[in-house]
Amino acid sequence: MLKEMLFNKIEEFMEEMIYVRRHLHMHPELSHKEIATPAYIANYLVDLGIEVRSGVGGRGVVGIIRGGKPGKTIAFRADFDALPIHDAKNASYQSTVPGVMHACGHDGHTAALLGFAKAINALKDQVQGNIVLIHQFGEELPPGGSRAMIADGCLDGVDAIYGAHLQSTMDSGHVYVRDGYLQAGEDTIKITVNGSGAHGAEPHKGADPILAASHIMVALQSIVSRNTDPLKELVISIGKFHAGDADNVIPEKAVMEGTIRVFDEELRTLASVRLTDLARSIGRGLGCEVDVQIERGYDALWNHGAQMDVVRKAAADVFGSDAVVETQPIMPVEDFSYYLQHVAGAYFFVGAKMEDPKKVFPHHHEKFDFHEPAMEMIAKTFAGIVLDYQK
């Protein structure tokens, strides 16, 4: 029976998945600078006899497994870029690259997709339809890699696409699903307040950009509390604030940088317009000129209900219905959103919390790690999705 053989193959390849994950973890590469990683992935697939196209969209790798029987073409995606973070955990597979580490699980995503690919490829003559393997670069750093890969044809002929993200703070042994919005959209903010300098003892002789910027920062929260439907999510946060170099000098300017996180597109536009108006008007009222720059980041990720039902069924069939958990949307962003704007599909989370509570850290933390058996859950859920498309 295909189901049993497929799952047995995945279990058989689990040790290899761990090896691949740890190799990638020890040799991370930053977004849009990946060279060895895509070469490693391409060589792995070629060695399996899988048809491969490299350099997709720049640095992406796409493999295709052609089933022995006609059917749908289903794509699965994994990202493979790392982050500019020093790896501070004590592990045999600690990063060997100073200041760079896989702190978000992309090494695990890649290893899981390769293990899944090896299992499917071994049984491809029994599979209906084609399986497209999308290995994506640059997810962590806008403009990302998905749009470039889509423009280069990675979704050509694809009927549906699926992806998964390991979650280090979610309980292991569970698959987390949600229809509709799962992850927020993001815009970055830079507000420059230009005043006129003065001695700190004679503030009346200048226009204080620190005072104006402080009022602006506080007023921005009124967009959330007074301009936003309380049933819709919006976050506006300032993460950087710089002004001046001396304690007794009022500087010429103050600069703030931050982020907008939002799901609804109309609210996204309102937030940008209102932020700009508030900043400029407050600045003028305090004798300063304000320049506002808002750079559009990734769009919000919207899951298609029918395809998420496929994930629910696949996970329940493999792990039992108790393992499938309906989750709330989260504010971190993900450029998988663009695949879902082109074809139907779904993105889900897999719990990967470490068994030792002292080793549980959030994503993008210098001691980030995840429970490696979660990779098997990704691979088996992908396999269950393929089985759902078999007649």
Side-chain angles (χ1 to χ4, degrees):
M1 186 178 180
L2 180 58
K3 179 179 180 180
E4 287 185 10
M5 290 190 292
L6 192 52
F7 292 156
N8 286 340
K9 286 288 184 185
I10 290 171
E11 292 170 7
E12 179 185 335
F13 299 149
M14 182 57 195
E15 188 174 334
E16 186 171 335
M17 278 188 266
I18 292 174
Y19 172 83
V20 170
R21 181 261 164 154
R22 293 185 178 186
H23 170 82
L24 295 174
H25 197 87
M26 292 172 68
H27 303 92
E29 294 182 301
L30 292 173
S31 307
H32 306 286
K33 296 181 180 179
E34 309 96 331
I35 298 174
T37 306
Y40 180 92
I41 293 166
N43 290 335
Y44 187 99
L45 295 175
V46 167
D47 288 346
L48 294 176
I50 294 173
E51 181 182 330
V52 174
R53 186 159 70 100
S54 296
V56 180
R59 300 176 185 270
V61 178
V62 175
I64 183 164
I65 300 172
R66 302 189 186 277
K69 304 172 185 178
K72 299 283 189 180
T73 296
I74 311 302
F76 297 89
R77 174 270 208 169
D79 38 17
F80 57 70
D81 55 325
L83 286 156
I85 298 172
H86 171 69
D87 191 350
K89 67 179 172 293
N90 182 19
S92 61
Y93 46 88
Q94 185 180 34
S95 172
T96 61
V97 182
V100 182
M101 73 172 289
H102 276 289
C104 202
H106 295 188
D107 51 341
H109 303 162
T110 300
L113 186 56
L114 290 175
F116 159 77
K118 187 171 184 177
I120 286 285
N121 191 61
L123 301 167
K124 64 183 179 182
D125 290 344
Q126 300 180 50
V127 173
Q128 295 175 343
N130 302 317
I131 308 300
V132 176
L133 311 163
I134 298 175
H135 289 274
Q136 184 200 309
F137 66 99
E139 189 279 330
E140 294 286 3
L141 183 64
S146 64
R147 282 174 285 187
M149 292 189 71
I150 292 166
D152 202 6
C154 75
L155 292 181
D156 290 357
V158 169
D159 294 296
I161 185 168
Y162 296 89
H165 202 301
L166 296 164
Q167 292 290 345
S168 66
T169 58
M170 291 183 173
D171 289 339
S172 297
H174 294 85
V175 173
Y176 296 82
V177 299
R178 180 180 177 83
D179 293 345
Y181 287 124
L182 179 68
Q183 296 191 235
E186 175 197 27
D187 294 329
T188 58
I189 313 161
K190 183 175 183 180
I191 302 171
T192 303
V193 182
N194 295 296
S196 57
H199 195 289
E202 299 176 319
H204 61 289
K205 293 183 179 180
D208 189 346
I210 295 178
L211 177 65
S214 298
H215 278 281
I216 290 168
M217 186 170 67
V218 172
L220 293 185
Q221 298 312 311
S222 71
I223 301 172
V224 177
S225 66
R226 289 297 178 265
N227 300 131
T228 301
D229 184 336
L231 299 180
K232 292 183 178 180
E233 299 89 347
L234 173 66
V235 173
I236 300 176
S237 293
I238 298 298
K240 293 173 68 175
F241 190 135
H242 178 76
D245 298 301
D247 60 4
N248 64 344
V249 177
I250 294 173
E252 293 285 334
K253 70 177 181 179
V255 179
M256 297 183 291
E257 296 181 47
T259 185
I260 299 172
R261 301 296 172 102
V262 64
F263 296 98
D264 183 84
E265 273 298 316
E266 289 186 7
L267 182 53
R268 187 181 195 175
T269 300
L270 181 147
S272 294
V273 171
R274 191 80 185 102
L275 184 151
T276 302
D277 288 346
L278 270 175
R280 288 176 177 170
S281 61
I282 290 171
R284 283 194 299 270
L286 294 171
C288 298
E289 292 296 322
V290 177
D291 176 67
V292 178
Q293 297 178 32
I294 300 175
E295 183 177 341
R296 188 177 178 92
Y298 296 158
D299 289 348
L301 189 155
W302 173 273
N303 277 322
H304 298 252
Q307 284 65 43
M308 186 53 81
D309 282 342
V310 172
V311 176
R312 288 186 179 93
K313 182 178 182 299
D317 286 348
V318 180
F319 308 111
S321 58
D322 289 345
V324 182
V325 179
E326 298 292 326
T327 191
Q328 294 298 310
I330 63 173
M331 287 313 205
V333 298
E334 166 61 65
D335 79 339
F336 191 87
S337 59
Y338 298 105
Y339 297 113
L340 298 176
Q341 292 177 6
H342 285 79
V343 298
Y347 196 66
F348 58 96
F349 300 145
V350 173
K353 183 184 289 187
M354 296 288 282
E355 292 180 327
D356 183 350
K358 295 180 181 179
K359 294 183 179 181
V360 176
F361 295 95
H363 292 246
H364 295 210
H365 190 281
E366 63 180 7
K367 292 186 178 181
F368 171 88
D369 206 350
F370 65 83
H371 190 51
E372 290 178 321
M375 294 187 294
E376 183 177 318
M377 289 197 73
I378 290 180
K380 284 186 173 180
T381 304
F382 283 175
I385 291 168
V386 172
L387 292 169
D388 192 80
Y389 284 90
Q390 308 299 299
K391 294 180 181 177

